[in-house]
Short mmCIF file of all heavy atoms in Angstrom, two decimals:
data_model
loop_
_atom_site.label_atom_id
_atom_site.label_comp_id
_atom_site.label_asym_id
_atom_site.label_seq_id
_atom_site.Cartn_x
_atom_site.Cartn_y
_atom_site.Cartn_z
N GLU A 36 -164.29 -91.74 22.21
CA GLU A 36 -163.17 -91.37 23.05
C GLU A 36 -161.99 -90.98 22.17
O GLU A 36 -161.73 -91.62 21.14
CB GLU A 36 -162.77 -92.51 23.98
CG GLU A 36 -161.73 -92.11 25.03
CD GLU A 36 -161.52 -93.19 26.09
OE1 GLU A 36 -161.91 -94.35 25.82
OE2 GLU A 36 -161.00 -92.89 27.18
N ARG A 49 -154.83 -74.66 17.39
CA ARG A 49 -156.24 -75.04 17.24
C ARG A 49 -157.15 -73.81 17.45
O ARG A 49 -158.11 -73.62 16.71
CB ARG A 49 -156.55 -76.14 18.25
CG ARG A 49 -157.97 -76.65 18.27
CD ARG A 49 -158.07 -77.78 19.29
NE ARG A 49 -159.43 -78.07 19.67
CZ ARG A 49 -160.21 -78.97 19.06
NH1 ARG A 49 -159.73 -79.65 18.05
NH2 ARG A 49 -161.44 -79.17 19.46
N THR A 55 -162.99 -75.88 17.42
CA THR A 55 -163.55 -76.14 18.74
C THR A 55 -164.73 -77.07 18.59
O THR A 55 -165.40 -77.08 17.55
CB THR A 55 -163.97 -74.82 19.42
OG1 THR A 55 -164.41 -75.10 20.76
CG2 THR A 55 -165.07 -74.12 18.65
N PHE A 60 -168.51 -69.17 22.71
CA PHE A 60 -168.95 -67.86 23.20
C PHE A 60 -169.48 -67.97 24.63
O PHE A 60 -169.62 -66.95 25.33
CB PHE A 60 -170.02 -67.26 22.28
CG PHE A 60 -171.30 -68.06 22.20
CD1 PHE A 60 -172.27 -67.94 23.18
CD2 PHE A 60 -171.53 -68.91 21.13
CE1 PHE A 60 -173.46 -68.67 23.10
CE2 PHE A 60 -172.71 -69.64 21.05
CZ PHE A 60 -173.67 -69.52 22.04
N SER A 116 -178.55 -92.95 30.42
CA SER A 116 -178.06 -91.57 30.40
C SER A 116 -176.75 -91.48 29.62
O SER A 116 -175.96 -92.42 29.59
CB SER A 116 -177.83 -91.06 31.83
OG SER A 116 -179.02 -91.12 32.58
N GLY A 140 -140.35 -58.47 22.10
CA GLY A 140 -140.23 -59.67 21.27
C GLY A 140 -140.39 -60.97 22.02
O GLY A 140 -140.47 -62.04 21.42
N GLY A 191 -174.81 -73.00 41.26
CA GLY A 191 -176.11 -73.08 40.60
C GLY A 191 -177.21 -72.74 41.59
O GLY A 191 -176.99 -72.67 42.80
N LEU A 222 -175.59 -79.90 38.11
CA LEU A 222 -176.33 -78.66 38.05
C LEU A 222 -177.11 -78.58 36.74
O LEU A 222 -176.71 -79.18 35.74
CB LEU A 222 -175.39 -77.46 38.14
CG LEU A 222 -174.43 -77.40 39.32
CD1 LEU A 222 -173.52 -76.19 39.20
CD2 LEU A 222 -175.19 -77.37 40.64
#
Side-chain angles (χ1 to χ4, degrees):
E36 188 170 18
R49 179 178 163 91
T55 185
F60 63 81
S116 301
L222 306 176

